[in-house]
Amino acid sequence: MNLSENPSPNFTFFSDENFTNPFMDNFDFSNLMFDVDEGCNTLGLFHDETSSPTSIVSSETFTGESGGSGSATTTLSKKESTFDCKSRGSKDGETKEMGHRVAFRTRSKIDVMDDGYKWRKYGKKSVKNNTNKRNYYKCSSDGCMVKKRVERDGEDAAYVITTYEGVHNHESPSHVYYNDMVLSYDHDNWNQHSLLQSIQISPPS
DNA sequence: CGAGTTTGACCGGCGC
DNA sequence: GCGCCGGTCAAACTCG
C-alpha cells in the first residue's frame, strides 16, 4: 500500500516528503497517521512496502497527552498494532474507560521523549521479538492514570515505539510553551499544524 | 529525606 | 488445565 495516499479517512497521514522536522535533531519525522475513531476496526495496518521498512501506523483515539517539547516520527510496527488490537478486544470495557490509546514510532537518539508531562517509571520488561527492554511509565500527576510504554523497535533500534494510554486529567506543565511552538510553526505545513494541536489538546469534557 | 528508578515476583489473559 | 507472555507491584536502591 502506498502511504502517500491517505489509506483511511480516519487517519491523517503525513509523509516525510512534506514533513520537515521543525524541532530538535533528536527526532526524525517520517510518517504520521492518527486515528480519530475508536475501536479495533479502525486500527491502521498500512504498510509502506516501498520506502520505510516499518511504515505502519496505528493509533486509537488520540489522547492528546503528548504535547511538549518532543516530537515524533509516528509510525508503528505491525506487531504492535496487532497487539493493541488484541489487548483492546479482550478488555473492551476497561480500555473504553481508560479512554484512548495512541502509539507511534519515532526515529530518535534518545529513548524517552520529553512530551511535557512528568512520568514515573514503574516497570521494565524484555518482550518477545524484541531484544530491547520495554519501559513502562505512569503519569506522576496526582490522580492521573495515563500510562506510557516505550521500547526500541526490535527490527531497527534507531526507532523508538511509544504508546500512550489514557487521558490526562490535567494540563501539561509545558502547555503554554508548546502552544507557542505550534503557533510559531504555522506556515505552509498544512496538517502539521492540526496534528500538533491534536497532540496538545486533551479531549476529556 | 523525598522522589524517582530498578528489578524480581506476581497476576491475569490468551492460545494450545 | 497448563504454559507463555505482557503488565503491574513493591521493596530495595540511587540520586539530588
Side-chain angles (χ1 to χ4, degrees):
Chain A
M1 182 180 289
N2 185 0
L3 279 176
S4 65
E5 300 169 7
N6 190 347
S8 164
N10 289 328
F11 290 86
T12 303
F13 174 69
F14 306 84
S15 77
D16 51 357
E17 291 174 11
N18 302 323
F19 202 92
T20 53
N21 184 357
F23 307 108
M24 57 195 78
D25 292 337
N26 284 333
F27 304 112
D28 174 23
F29 283 78
S30 61
N31 300 323
L32 265 80
M33 190 155 53
F34 286 100
D35 189 359
V36 295
D37 199 355
E38 271 194 341
C40 183
N41 58 321
T42 61
L43 276 172
L45 282 173
F46 305 106
H47 196 171
D48 181 357
E49 303 284 354
T50 58
S51 58
S52 170
T54 50
S55 298
I56 305 165
V57 179
S58 171
S59 66
E60 298 178 33
T61 304
F62 195 66
T63 64
E65 71 267 30
S66 50
S69 58
S71 304
T73 295
T74 58
T75 60
L76 181 68
S77 68
K78 182 177 284 183
K79 57 178 182 286
E80 181 75 9
S81 298
T82 305
F83 168 75
D84 281 349
C85 185
K86 274 169 59 181
S87 67
R88 183 189 189 90
S90 64
K91 301 199 304 178
D92 197 40
E94 186 179 337
T95 48
K96 265 183 182 166
E97 188 175 340
M98 279 303 291
H100 316 281
R101 178 184 301 169
V102 60
F104 51 83
R105 191 165 163 272
T106 310
R107 196 163 94 188
S108 170
K109 294 168 187 171
I110 61 176
D111 289 339
V112 184
M113 290 175 292
D114 176 8
D115 54 14
Y117 288 91
K118 200 174 176 185
W119 299 96
R120 179 185 198 129
K121 192 173 189 174
Y122 68 91
K124 180 178 169 184
K125 270 202 83 98
S126 53
V127 294
K128 214 179 171 186
N129 298 325
N130 194 341
T131 54
N132 304 300
K133 304 270 186 177
R134 174 182 289 172
N135 296 298
Y136 298 88
Y137 298 87
K138 278 178 185 171
C139 182
S140 63
S141 178
D142 249 6
C144 183
M145 298 300 292
V146 176
K147 293 170 194 169
K148 174 179 169 181
R149 277 200 316 252
V150 179
E151 65 189 300
R152 287 272 169 196
D153 193 322
E155 296 169 2
D156 185 351
Y159 287 86
V160 177
I161 297 168
T162 306
T163 305
Y164 291 96
E165 189 172 310
V167 179
H168 288 284
N169 58 9
H170 58 95
E171 293 289 326
S172 163
S174 63
H175 190 100
V176 175
Y177 162 73
Y178 193 75
N179 274 348
D180 286 348
M181 182 167 67
V182 170
L183 291 171
S184 69
Y185 195 70
D186 186 23
H187 38 93
D188 58 353
N189 267 310
W190 34 264
N191 285 330
Q192 183 174 347
H193 185 198
S194 56
L195 164 74
L196 292 171
Q197 283 191 321
S198 69
I199 287 174
Q200 175 58 40
I201 296 166
S202 293
S205 51

